[in-house]
Amino acid sequence: MMQETQIRSLLSGLDTELVNQILQHSACLTFESDMQLMDIGAYVKSVPLVLSGMVRVSRREEEKELLLYNIKPGELCIMSFTACCNQSSSLIIATTVEPTELLLLPSDSLRNWVREFGSLNYFIFSQFNSRYVDLIDTINHLLYNRLDERLVAYLREKAVRADFQALSLTHQQIANDLGTAREVISRLMKKLEKEGKIMQGRNSVIFKE
């Protein structure tokens, strides 16, 4: 579990008093890979701030999921924050991508901190800006990039993060992230394998490009 000094370093842009209160009132929990943290329609009792690992935020429409963005260390879930402030139900699905440590900020306290600490408002504004850019990128990929190009870019990004080690991925997971059907991904993955760009095993992929 991350030490208090590491958490303070991660939150160094916030007021010291605010960080003290966050540490006092928030819970630090560790989750395994592929654990669902939030579902559409659930009410937000705490807003997750990622300390280590990664959280995938997606939407589900007609049994298909579309990746909206990933939350990395030092970032919180903006969609959960919005639901927290509006006291409304969640519009997203949040799932851990890998073993992930979260600081769960209680909703009631968070609403008070926003009113009291200017540094938190600046932090949240910067998070909104980052997620807005992520969503614009997602829309651009959907509108202007062919699915095979998106698939290669997706696998390359995953491979770089994993230092080009074997990726633990199913075709269904990839389909969910790219907002398409598993059968389509299976066909494209077979094509990439024939081209020598990937090697596939049981629920694993090695990116070779």
Side-chain angles (χ1 to χ4, degrees):
M1 184 170 289
M2 186 172 286
Q3 300 297 316
E4 179 179 326
T5 53
Q6 295 173 295
I7 297 176
R8 287 185 181 276
S9 177
L10 201 62
L11 302 178
S12 60
L14 301 178
D15 295 302
T16 301
E17 176 56 29
L18 172 58
V19 176
N20 290 339
Q21 291 192 32
I22 288 174
L23 291 171
Q24 180 180 354
H25 296 286
S26 304
C28 185
L29 299 176
T30 301
F31 298 87
E32 296 299 320
S33 179
D34 297 321
M35 289 193 66
Q36 184 170 295
L37 307 172
M38 179 66 62
D39 199 359
I40 295 172
Y43 277 83
V44 179
K45 297 180 179 178
S46 59
V47 175
L49 187 147
V50 177
L51 300 177
S52 64
M54 184 182 291
V55 174
R56 173 186 188 275
V57 175
S58 61
R59 281 280 298 171
R60 184 189 297 121
E61 298 289 344
E62 298 180 354
E63 299 184 356
K64 290 184 180 180
E65 281 191 37
L66 174 64
L67 173 67
L68 299 179
Y69 52 81
N70 291 311
I71 312 172
K72 303 176 182 66
E75 300 176 346
L76 54 74
C77 181
I78 287 299
M79 295 295 287
S80 296
F81 171 78
T82 302
C84 157
C85 289
N86 294 333
Q87 300 188 51
S88 59
S89 59
S90 171
L91 297 175
I92 55 92
I93 303 165
T95 309
T96 56
V97 175
E98 55 194 51
T100 299
E101 191 170 1
L102 301 176
L103 198 61
L104 301 179
L105 313 179
S107 295
D108 291 341
S109 298
L110 188 54
R111 286 191 288 269
N112 292 331
W113 293 334
V114 166
R115 289 190 292 268
E116 186 176 353
F117 296 98
S119 63
L120 180 58
N121 285 281
Y122 180 81
F123 173 76
I124 290 170
F125 176 80
S126 68
Q127 298 281 300
F128 267 107
N129 183 65
S130 295
R131 297 294 78 81
Y132 178 77
V133 171
D134 288 341
L135 289 175
I136 292 296
D137 285 343
T138 297
I139 292 169
N140 283 339
H141 284 307
L142 288 172
L143 290 178
Y144 302 117
N145 291 359
R146 300 197 320 263
L147 183 56
D148 57 346
E149 294 173 338
R150 291 169 52 211
L151 175 59
V152 169
Y154 169 90
L155 293 173
R156 182 185 293 111
E157 181 181 356
K158 291 278 188 183
V160 169
R161 181 172 174 82
D163 198 23
F164 288 90
Q165 300 298 309
L167 304 173
S168 179
L169 283 172
T170 66
H171 289 186
Q172 186 62 61
Q173 287 173 311
I174 299 171
N176 289 345
D177 281 349
L178 296 181
T180 188
R182 180 188 58 78
E183 294 78 8
V184 175
I185 292 299
S186 295
R187 184 170 66 250
L188 289 175
M189 292 290 282
K190 186 174 183 180
K191 178 174 178 289
L192 290 179
E193 190 169 33
K194 285 183 177 179
E195 293 173 352
K197 294 181 179 179
I198 64 170
M199 289 179 60
Q200 296 190 85
R202 183 174 178 81
N203 297 336
S204 70
V205 180
I206 296 176
F207 185 78
K208 299 174 64 179
E209 186 177 290

